[in-house]
Amino acid sequence: MAAIVGLFTFLLLLLPPSLVFSQCTRRPPVIFNFGDSNSDTGGLVAGLGFPVLSPNGRTFFRRSTGRLSDGRLLIDFLCESLNMNLLNPYMDSLARSNFKNGANFAIVGSSTLPKYVPFSLNIQVMQFVHFKTRTLELLNSNAGYENLIDDDGFRNALYMIDIGQNDIADSLSKNLSYFQVVKQIPSVISEIQNAVKGLYGQGGRKFWIHNTGPLGCLPQKLSSFHTKDLDRYGCISSYNNLATLFNKALSHLCQELRYELKDASIVYVDIYTIKYDLIANSSVHGFFDPLMACCGAGGRPYNYDIRVTCGQPGYQVCNKNSKFISWDGIHYTEEANKIVASKVLSRAYSTPSLPFDFFCNN
């Protein structure tokens, strides 16, 4: 009987549960996000004017919004689950928003190190400090800026961090050895610790921290680094091992921070397991080329060519009705992001197992 129950539970986890929608009953939701391209909702375009061309954004938005996907990102689905507006980039001066529901500081290509190079995690936190200071100044100036985030809003906001992938990937691109990359992980974790403590010092008490996904399963990595070091699903084992080591260190950091910052709630979310399961069980979800990019060049097996990336002259893109996990060899399609979001919202991959809306209902 125990074996049957276990099998039933496993099969349930394979199925893509529908998105869990909730309502913030105690206070309006406010979210501040820090990260890289996995959660950049247009910051690169707004901050540097760097073009993110079509066919990016072709599904939900029907135009490029600066997101590196054909549609919505994980963070978009999480915001939608709270019935709140999607987060605008902090640097988007033309956004039709007063940032009442928060701001997104994530930028494509961001890492934790070097810490003073735009737009590192440290720089993003510095931008937040300026944003908060200026917002409260305007709010208290009696100059008609009442519709801004107040001190209570900053204190009860959710502070999301999703970064670290580029630190590992950049080290690998520099041809560092496996053990040299391992030695750098504590420095990356230290920067995330500094960010959490810095935000805590600004009054933040509710944190939502994503670990990094399976780097060795990205078509970009598979096409660039020819190796026989592949696992049963065709992913580069050593790269995934590095991601796993990073995630273990990040999980340990979250445990330490919970002990040290006793009045803070710090939720650690296992994105790696969600994404790896999606690849391992891709056919269950209707994906049949889990390691191939929808938008790129070169055709099978990975459809990725660093010389002809998605949106650049010569690219090829899959049909809109086809189902791919990878959009451009690095980032996920909207269809895949929706499944990842449903898993995140299920609470099965969160430690502690708090609902995503805990910050606006407690």
Side-chain angles (χ1 to χ4, degrees), residues 9 13 46 54 133 152 162 170 182 189 192 194 201 204 225-226 273 307-308 319 328 339 348 352:
T9 302
L13 289 175
S54 173
T133 300
D152 184 68
D162 186 345
D170 291 347
V182 170
I189 297 298
I192 297 175
N194 292 340
F225 301 92
H226 303 288
T273 295
R307 299 165 297 183
V308 187
N319 296 328
D328 58 6
I339 294 174

Side-chain angles (χ1 to χ4, degrees), residues 54-65 70-71 320 334:
S54 173
N56 288 288
R58 71 177 185 176
T59 57
F60 180 79
F61 301 102
R62 302 184 187 280
R63 64 180 179 86
S64 176
T65 62
D70 60 332
K320 286 187 178 181
E334 176 176 282

Side-chain angles (χ1 to χ4, degrees), residues 52-177:
V52 174
L53 303 174
S54 173
N56 288 288
R58 71 177 185 176
T59 57
F60 180 79
F61 301 102
R62 302 184 187 280
R63 64 180 179 86
S64 176
T65 62
R67 292 166 172 81
L68 293 181
S69 177
D70 60 332
R72 288 166 288 184
L73 307 179
L74 168 60
I75 190 171
D76 295 321
F77 286 112
L78 295 181
C79 288
E80 287 183 352
S81 76
L82 300 176
N83 195 31
M84 65 181 283
N85 293 331
L86 304 185
L87 288 184
N88 282 313
Y90 161 70
M91 291 188 291
D92 191 350
S93 60
L94 297 178
R96 291 181 296 175
S97 170
N98 52 21
F99 298 101
K100 183 64 177 178
N101 65 321
N104 191 359
F105 297 87
I107 299 284
V108 169
S110 293
S111 55
T112 67
L113 296 169
K115 67 184 299 179
Y116 291 109
V117 173
F119 291 93
S120 68
L121 178 59
N122 176 63
I123 294 293
Q124 292 179 30
V125 173
M126 291 170 63
Q127 289 177 316
F128 166 78
V129 173
H130 172 75
F131 175 86
K132 179 187 176 186
T133 300
R134 185 63 177 146
T135 297
L136 295 179
E137 284 178 355
L138 292 173
L139 191 65
N140 296 324
S141 67
N142 296 319
Y145 291 99
E146 292 82 6
N147 194 31
L148 294 173
I149 302 172
D150 57 17
D151 195 58
D152 184 68
F154 282 104
R155 183 170 53 253
N156 290 295
L158 183 67
Y159 294 84
M160 298 180 63
I161 296 177
D162 186 345
I163 203 165
Q165 176 174 315
N166 288 329
D167 288 279
I168 301 174
D170 291 347
S171 296
L172 291 168
S173 67
K174 296 173 183 176
N175 293 321
L176 297 182
S177 70

Side-chain angles (χ1 to χ4, degrees), residues 92-343:
D92 191 350
S93 60
L94 297 178
R96 291 181 296 175
S97 170
N98 52 21
F99 298 101
K100 183 64 177 178
N101 65 321
N104 191 359
F105 297 87
I107 299 284
V108 169
S110 293
S111 55
T112 67
L113 296 169
K115 67 184 299 179
Y116 291 109
V117 173
F119 291 93
S120 68
L121 178 59
N122 176 63
I123 294 293
Q124 292 179 30
V125 173
M126 291 170 63
Q127 289 177 316
F128 166 78
V129 173
H130 172 75
F131 175 86
K132 179 187 176 186
T133 300
R134 185 63 177 146
T135 297
L136 295 179
E137 284 178 355
L138 292 173
L139 191 65
N140 296 324
S141 67
N142 296 319
Y145 291 99
E146 292 82 6
N147 194 31
L148 294 173
I149 302 172
D150 57 17
D151 195 58
D152 184 68
F154 282 104
R155 183 170 53 253
N156 290 295
L158 183 67
Y159 294 84
M160 298 180 63
I161 296 177
D162 186 345
I163 203 165
Q165 176 174 315
N166 288 329
D167 288 279
I168 301 174
D170 291 347
S171 296
L172 291 168
S173 67
K174 296 173 183 176
N175 293 321
L176 297 182
S177 70
Y178 178 89
F179 295 103
Q180 286 175 316
V181 179
V182 170
K183 287 182 179 180
Q184 292 189 348
I185 290 177
S187 297
V188 177
I189 297 298
S190 179
E191 288 304 312
I192 297 175
Q193 178 184 47
N194 292 340
V196 173
K197 288 188 174 181
L199 295 169
Y200 180 88
Q202 290 292 318
R205 293 295 182 270
K206 299 167 184 180
F207 298 89
W208 189 271
I209 301 176
H210 292 176
N211 70 13
T212 199
L215 289 175
C217 299
L218 298 179
Q220 179 214 36
K221 297 293 182 288
L222 288 162
S223 67
S224 303
F225 301 92
H226 303 288
T227 177
K228 295 181 180 179
D229 177 33
L230 302 178
D231 66 15
R232 60 187 294 193
Y233 302 111
C235 304
I236 304 174
S237 298
S238 59
Y239 286 19
N240 282 351
N241 290 340
L242 287 169
T244 300
L245 288 174
F246 170 83
N247 292 339
K248 287 181 178 178
L250 183 61
S251 176
H252 182 68
L253 170 65
C254 291
Q255 293 175 2
E256 289 183 336
L257 289 172
R258 290 187 201 105
Y259 179 80
E260 183 177 351
L261 311 177
K262 296 186 184 300
D263 61 336
S265 297
I266 302 172
V267 180
Y268 169 85
V269 185
D270 188 5
I271 297 295
Y272 181 98
T273 295
I274 295 173
K275 289 187 172 181
Y276 192 73
D277 284 349
L278 182 57
I279 292 167
N281 300 289
S282 57
S283 61
V284 174
H285 301 287
F287 301 108
F288 297 101
D289 289 295
L291 303 180
M292 181 175 173
C294 166
C295 185
R300 295 182 184 277
Y302 307 121
N303 196 38
Y304 184 88
D305 186 334
I306 194 171
R307 299 165 297 183
V308 187
T309 55
C310 184
Q312 300 303 311
Y315 78 89
Q316 302 170 351
V317 65
C318 64
N319 296 328
K320 286 187 178 181
N321 59 354
S322 56
K323 293 186 66 173
F324 280 74
I325 292 175
S326 178
W327 166 240
D328 58 6
I330 303 173
H331 310 94
Y332 276 25
T333 61
E334 176 176 282
E335 187 71 22
N337 283 327
K338 183 176 182 180
I339 294 174
V340 173
S342 69
K343 300 286 189 178

